[in-house]
């Protein structure tokens, strides 16, 4: 498995089919498992992640120049926190849930049982690959599923660490890793998995969903989109600027829930722009290509893409308020705040996934909501306000996968909240119980516990009296 990405195509197909067959056989056995063996696997996974902590930190630096704090915060902490939550609550999650008995079901007892869906595929992205491989894996193990993980080829050092953690911790009949490029993902997507968990962009999400449809496989799609920020006239501007800059500095802005553009009330626009500039001077230190604490763009292709967004915006009249420096040789783009950005610029049409932050003014909150609603539903939406009525208007007047008020991105780190998108930004939820639920089939079980059933009274021949009684009952 260590050299799977070097195998020729026919042998790659054979190896994928061999492992999938093993997992297909094992999933029947896992369906019988109680909580304790699943908990033991989660304990082993947690121990392996901690044992490889230094390796994860080193690999994150090798792939993206990520600093240790960001690797610990963005890659390791969500995994250990998610495992700890499952260790604490799995027995309760697995317990059958009794449901109320309506009058026409007297004599029965109903419950919902959570059974594993079976063989699962986890396709992880490059931006936080350990997080987005092992958190879904935690859910799959908790639910009693097997799993094949396909990490991104764009972060090979982190992919190798993921492979080593899995190989040291699990039998390949339960969990396996296949590295490589699109050809590996394509080969995996031809197989009849019971569930696919994909994290990435909407366009590839559609490819995954089409492949899943061939086998009527259920999917969890964590996608992306342009996550807006509203800063109203009542906002604490200094706090908003600090938190927005944090959201753009973390991982070089390469996070699916990073703030993508800001709509600020015109009365506070210049104040916010000034505060954002001061925050960047404080926290984004260093000249272009020299900033030691800033994660780099993942590769030259993505650097050119983000640079193209910046160049297009400036060509259309955007004003660089702070930042703007770039060094292609180092895959570096300085965190950059822009004003006077044209709505038809690429910066306002495409997901940025980089350290650029366009700031636009608005006069009327309704107009800001209209602008947001004219775009596909985002993965996240943020609002900075001290007016409860405005917050409610924003929540009721928009749709988004998740929302944080007076901060950014924190809802995605909360272990007891569902994480996921809506429509173009995703399908399904993950994290904690919601991740366990995603990899589980909610099986309805009804027991007839009384000798007498209401069906005795609704068997043919149907009398006029029975018709009148049914009519009355329905009303």
């Amino acid at each position: 498995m260590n050299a799977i990405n070097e195998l020729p195509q026919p042998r790659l197909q054979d190896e994928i089919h061999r492992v999938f067959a093993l997992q297909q056989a094992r999933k029947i056995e896992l369906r019988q498992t109680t909580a304790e063996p699943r908990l033991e696997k989660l304990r082993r996974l947690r121990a392996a992640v901690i044992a490889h902590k230094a390796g994860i930190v080193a690999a994150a630096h090798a792939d993206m120049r990520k600093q240790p704090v960001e690797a610990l915060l963005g890659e390791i902490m969500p995994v250990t926190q998610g495992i700890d939550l499952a260790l604490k609550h799995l027995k309760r999650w697995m317990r059958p849930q009794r449901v109320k008995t309506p009058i026409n079901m007297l004599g029965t007892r109903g419950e919902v049982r959570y059974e594993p869906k079976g063989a699962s595929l986890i396709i992880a992205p490059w931006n936080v690959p350990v997080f987005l491989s092992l958190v879904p894996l935690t859910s799959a193990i908790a639910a009693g599923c097997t799993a094949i993980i396909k990490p991104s080829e764009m972060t090979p050092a982190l992919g190798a660490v993921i492979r080593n953690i899995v190989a040291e911790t699990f039998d390949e009949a339960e969990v396996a890793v296949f590295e490589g490029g699109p050809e590996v993902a394509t080969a995996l997507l031809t197989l009849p998995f019971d569930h696919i968990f994909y994290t990435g962009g909407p366009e590839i999400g559609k490819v995954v969903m089409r492949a899943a449809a061939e086998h009527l496989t259920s999917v969890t799609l964590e996608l992306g989109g342009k996550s807006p920020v509203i800063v109203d006239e009542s906002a604490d501007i200094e706090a908003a600027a600090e938190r927005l800059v944090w959201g753009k500095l973390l991982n070089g802005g390469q996070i699916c829930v990073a703030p993508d553009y800001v709509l600020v009330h015109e009365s506070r626009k210049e104040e916010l722009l000034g505060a954002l500039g001061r925050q960047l001077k404080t926290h984004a230190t260093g000249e272009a290509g020299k900033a030691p604490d800033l994660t780099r763009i993942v590769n030259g292709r993505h650097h050119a893409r983000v640079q193209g967004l910046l160049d297009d915006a400036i060509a259309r009249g955007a004003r660089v308020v702070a930042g703007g420096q770039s060094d292609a040789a180092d895959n570096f783009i300085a965190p950059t705040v822009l004003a006077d950005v044209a709505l038809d610029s690429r910066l306002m049409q495409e997901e940025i996934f980089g350290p650029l932050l366009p700031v636009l003014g608005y006069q009327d909150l309704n107009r800001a909501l209209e602008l947001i609603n004219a775009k596909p539903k985002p993965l996240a939406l943020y609002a900075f306000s001290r007016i409860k009525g405005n917050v409610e208007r924003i929540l009721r007047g928009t749709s988004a996968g998740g929302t944080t008020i007076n901060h950014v991105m924190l809802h995605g780190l909360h272990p007891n909240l569902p994480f996921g998108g809506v429509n173009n930004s995703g399908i399904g939820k993950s994290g904690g119980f919601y991740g366990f639920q995603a990899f589980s089939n909610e099986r309805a079980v009804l027991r007839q516990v009384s000798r007498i059933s209401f069906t005795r009274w609704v068997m043919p021949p149907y009398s006029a009296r029975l018709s009148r009684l049914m009519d009355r009952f329905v009303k």
Side-chain angles (χ1 to χ4, degrees), residues 374-395:
K375 298 180 182 296
K377 297 173 185 175
L379 184 57
L381 181 147
Y382 307 111
F384 289 85
S385 175
R386 290 184 281 200
I387 301 173
K388 289 183 179 180
N390 279 1
V391 171
E392 276 304 309
R393 283 175 65 191
I394 293 166
L395 290 173

Side-chain angles (χ1 to χ4, degrees), residues 109-170:
R109 185 171 67 238
E111 65 183 28
V112 177
R113 286 181 170 244
Y114 292 96
E115 63 180 21
K117 285 184 176 176
S120 60
L121 171 63
I122 298 167
I123 303 177
W126 52 263
N127 58 329
V128 275
V130 175
F131 173 4
L132 293 173
S133 297
L134 301 188
V135 167
L137 178 61
T138 297
S139 298
I141 294 169
C145 297
T146 64
I148 289 176
I149 300 172
K150 162 61 176 78
S152 172
E153 70 278 11
M154 284 196 266
T155 45
L158 284 164
V161 175
I162 294 166
R163 179 195 67 213
N164 291 338
I165 288 172
V166 167
E168 293 170 12
T169 309
F170 301 102

Side-chain angles (χ1 to χ4, degrees), residues 5 47 100 104 128 145 244 284 295 302 318 327 362:
N5 54 332
K100 290 183 178 180
N104 65 320
V128 275
C145 297
L244 286 168
T295 298
H302 279 275
D327 183 348
Y362 74 87

Side-chain angles (χ1 to χ4, degrees), residues 177-211:
V177 174
F178 282 92
E179 299 173 271
E183 72 285 353
V184 176
T186 300
L188 288 166
L189 286 171
T190 64
L191 297 173
F193 285 95
D194 297 297
H195 189 71
I196 298 174
F197 191 109
Y198 168 78
T199 306
E203 289 308 310
I204 302 301
K206 294 174 186 177
V207 174
V208 171
M209 199 169 183
R210 280 194 289 269

